[in-house]
Amino acid sequence: MMICKFCQKKAIIRLPYARLSLCQVHFNEFMVKKVLKSIKRYKMISKGDRILVAVSGGKDSTTLLHILSLLSSTLNIELYGIYIDLGLGEYSEKSKQKVKELFKLLNIEHVIVDLKESLGFKVPELSKLSKRPTCSVCGLIKRYVLNVIALNLKANSIATGHTMDDMIAYILKEFILGNYGQLVKLKPKLEAIAGLMPARIKPLVEVSERESLVYALVNNLPIYHGECPYRPQESIEVEIKSFFNMLETRHPGIKIQFLRKFFKGEAVNLKDVTLGEIKKCSICGMPSSTDVCALCKLIYRIEGSYNRILEFLDKINSIELLR
Ligand code: AMP
Ligand code: ZN
Ligand code: ZN
């Protein structure tokens, strides 16, 4: 029997990179401490911060909200939750139920944005009408809605459930494709731009998907196991993840070493690379690198006018906070 390094009880997980086997109690403690350390290492959170946590119903963002809520008094932060119903059929319906359960369980003030109700289109409809790939439309909508709601709630930052495995996959992908300018967006904390964009933080940056799954399971958190039906079966990210997991089995610790070295900025000086100039969209006032933002352009492409955007903003800005 595998036993816990700290209490000799039965271990539920073995973490080769840390040379530890841990029981449930000590695994929970380990995870909470680890997230706290990452938050400090990358200076993600300051006292008094109001944080909007984006929860999808999957294991990662669910684990994230649970851990942040355990840390909320230590860090002296206020948490808000958000779920965006993107209109992806059964996947959205089922994940929404899980997220609602979670908000209730943790007593988190939250907003639920229904895209069809507020914009008039579901993600697949937007994608079809604009002839743009579903995943890119979906990413665009998520970034936009998170930004609007966070500004409205006067949140200092938006927290997402991106894990170490996600970050490694994104970094290598952008690197392989030669999109070096994109690498800066992958920092654990992207600084806020006053009045335009709250900071974006990734507190699970040093947590693996395996750890976040085990955490959600042993704590019986409500999670939806289904996968988005529009998610491509094969992608560079998925392949990089499996390659790195193979490396990790043979060389425990290689994933975290890679990430920490990368964020130190020796290979790519992340301090000198910036997001480029961020302006205010001349139509909707949200951040954009061009005069008119990507969502306004998308809607114009479909409708030949921008009217819908302003209505959409009004609607989502007046969604009530639920408890
Ligand atoms: P993804 O883009 O699906 O890999 O998700 C990355 C992160 O975005 C998740 O960890 C969540 O924090 C957030 N997220 C994804 N989908 C939603 C959603 N429907 N509502 C709110 N947040 C989401
Ligand atoms: Zn123990
Ligand atoms: Zn705009």
Side-chain angles (χ1 to χ4, degrees), residues 4 7 23 26:
C4 174
C7 69
C23 70
H26 287 110

Side-chain angles (χ1 to χ4, degrees), residues 4-9 22-26:
C4 174
K5 163 122 180 193
F6 298 114
C7 69
Q8 326 312 322
K9 289 206 183 107
L22 298 171
C23 70
Q24 178 168 344
V25 170
H26 287 110

Side-chain angles (χ1 to χ4, degrees), residues 39 55 79 271 293 307:
I39 288 172
V55 188
L79 295 178
K271 285 200 191 80
C293 78
N307 297 342

Side-chain angles (χ1 to χ4, degrees), residues 8 18 27 33 54 57 85 89 114 124 140-141 145 177 210-211 213 239 243 266 301 308:
Q8 326 312 322
F27 175 62
K33 274 194 189 152
D85 182 341
D114 182 320
L140 169 66
I141 294 283
V145 171
L177 299 178
R210 173 173 173 254
E211 289 167 328
L213 175 63
E239 280 150 12
F243 171 67
E266 285 163 11
R301 192 172 159 143
R308 196 181 278 276

